[in-house]
């Protein structure tokens, strides 16, 4: 009896150590229920923008105005694979030295991660998944590139990360001998949609430069399923576009 109680107590302690609550900093948030997106703004003062912000992400991309958008100059180098399950998504942390330059401004690639279904919609339709590539300039400005993922042929670059994903929240895996290149996850066409937005997770900070590639990339149904085994749904609902202008490369 006594030892059973101890075992039970140990089981609870072990479960807690691996739970997202134990690893996340700040208030615990989720994609559904009482800690879901509709409540993020009320959960903590530092999350208030999630509730009252007027330039929030994700949005439905429609009615985009054709414009002469500056080319995104990619300078992505190989990075040793470092993948973390942070309790909200799978995130590949990128080695220093890769960047994009847009309109003369350089943004360094920090990480990329995935959502299912896609957070950004096009003409009201959400895609199977989206990859978000998060960049930061030296003066602290964020630029995120979104790549919409549709079901189709298997994707080798996506598979390289998915095949080595950590299954426990809080777990990080590093592979010194496996390199990944974010360029391999980009579509061939480099046209994109451009608009202002925010982080799609708390604290939902605004002032983020969003660029969503026009051409989706294919991943297999099996690859989508393997991600959904860990995260069945990790997409914030669509936010009001308000008076934002959406532009698209001509
Ligand atoms: Zn994201």
């Amino acid at each position: 009896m006594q030892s059973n109680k101890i075992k039970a107590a140990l089981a609870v302690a072990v479960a807690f150590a691996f739970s997202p609550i134990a690893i996340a900093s700040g208030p615990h948030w989720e994609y559904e229920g009482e800690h879901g997106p509709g409540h993020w703004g009320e959960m903590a003062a530092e999350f208030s923008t999630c509730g009252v912000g007027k330039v929030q992400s994700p949005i439905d991309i429609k009615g985009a105005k054709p414009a002469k958008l500056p080319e995104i100059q990619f300078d992505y180098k190989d990075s040793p694979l470092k993948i973390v399950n942070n309790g909200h998504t799978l995130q590949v942390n990128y080695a220093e030295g890769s960047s994009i330059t847009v309109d003369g401004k350089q943004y360094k690639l920090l990480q990329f991660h995935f959502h299912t279904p896609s957070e950004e919609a096009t003409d009201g339709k959400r895609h199977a998944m989206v990859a978000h590539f998060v960049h930061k300039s030296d003066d602290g400005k964020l630029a995120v590139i979104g790549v919409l993922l549709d079901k189709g042929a298997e994707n080798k670059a996506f598979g390289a990360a998915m095949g080595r994903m950590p299954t426990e929240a809080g777990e990080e895996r590093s592979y010194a001998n496996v390199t990944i290149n974010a360029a391999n996850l980009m579509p061939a066409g480099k046209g994109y949609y451009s608009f202002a937005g925010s982080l799609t997770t708390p604290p939902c900070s605004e002032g983020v430069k969003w660029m969503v590639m026009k051409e989706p990339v294919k991943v297999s149904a099996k690859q989508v399923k393997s991600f959904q085994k860990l995260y069945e749904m990790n997409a914030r609902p669509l936010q009001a576009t308000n008076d934002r202008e959406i532009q698209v490369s001509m």
Side-chain angles (χ1 to χ4, degrees), residues 75-78 94-100 107-109 135:
D75 185 14
Y76 285 167
K77 302 191 168 73
D78 285 350
Y94 220 77
E96 271 181 53
S98 290
S99 65
I100 53 167
Y107 302 86
K108 292 172 180 162
L109 177 61
H135 307 76

Side-chain angles (χ1 to χ4, degrees), residues 8-226:
L10 277 176
V12 168
V14 169
F16 185 73
F18 285 102
S19 81
I21 303 165
I23 59 131
S25 61
H28 175 64
W29 57 270
E30 294 174 358
Y31 284 100
E32 280 168 323
E34 57 174 325
H35 296 114
H39 301 285
W40 291 352
E42 313 144 11
M43 286 175 53
E46 69 261 36
F47 289 0
S48 64
T49 308
C50 301
V52 300
K54 293 280 177 276
V55 193
Q56 289 289 292
S57 290
I59 56 168
D60 181 21
I61 299 168
K62 62 178 178 191
K65 289 199 178 75
K68 279 198 177 123
L69 295 177
E71 186 191 334
I72 305 171
Q73 294 169 269
F74 290 91
D75 185 14
Y76 285 167
K77 302 191 168 73
D78 285 350
S79 168
L81 180 61
K82 215 180 225 188
I83 184 163
V84 60
N85 179 339
N86 66 14
H88 302 294
T89 187
L90 290 178
Q91 182 172 307
V92 172
N93 289 326
Y94 220 77
E96 271 181 53
S98 290
S99 65
I100 53 167
T101 302
V102 188
D103 218 3
K105 193 173 178 76
Q106 190 193 43
Y107 302 86
K108 292 172 180 162
L109 177 61
L110 305 178
Q111 48 101 340
F112 61 88
H113 61 264
F114 304 94
H115 300 269
T116 188
S118 71
E119 292 202 300
E120 292 70 34
T122 50
D123 290 319
K125 175 184 158 272
R126 286 187 131 163
H127 299 248
M129 292 183 69
V130 69
H132 286 158
F133 297 78
V134 181
H135 307 76
K136 199 177 196 173
S137 66
D138 282 337
D139 62 350
K141 298 273 187 296
L142 289 174
V144 182
I145 293 183
V147 175
L148 299 162
L149 305 175
D150 285 334
K151 284 182 192 172
E154 192 173 281
N155 186 310
K156 246 179 125 178
F158 184 81
M162 283 300 118
R164 297 178 175 88
M165 61 189 183
T167 50
E168 299 289 345
E171 190 186 348
E172 178 167 0
R173 294 187 188 176
S174 290
Y175 299 88
N177 301 322
V178 180
T179 54
I180 190 160
N181 196 317
N184 296 335
L185 279 164
M186 289 291 149
K190 296 296 189 284
Y192 65 99
Y193 301 102
S194 174
F195 49 91
S198 73
L199 299 179
T200 65
T201 56
C204 309
S205 318
E206 296 186 341
V208 177
K209 178 180 179 63
W210 275 92
M211 291 163 282
V212 173
M213 305 309 287
K214 237 170 108 176
E215 187 182 311
V217 162
K218 302 281 189 221
V219 293
S220 72
K222 202 175 153 192
Q223 289 178 315
V224 172
K225 222 175 185 176
S226 72

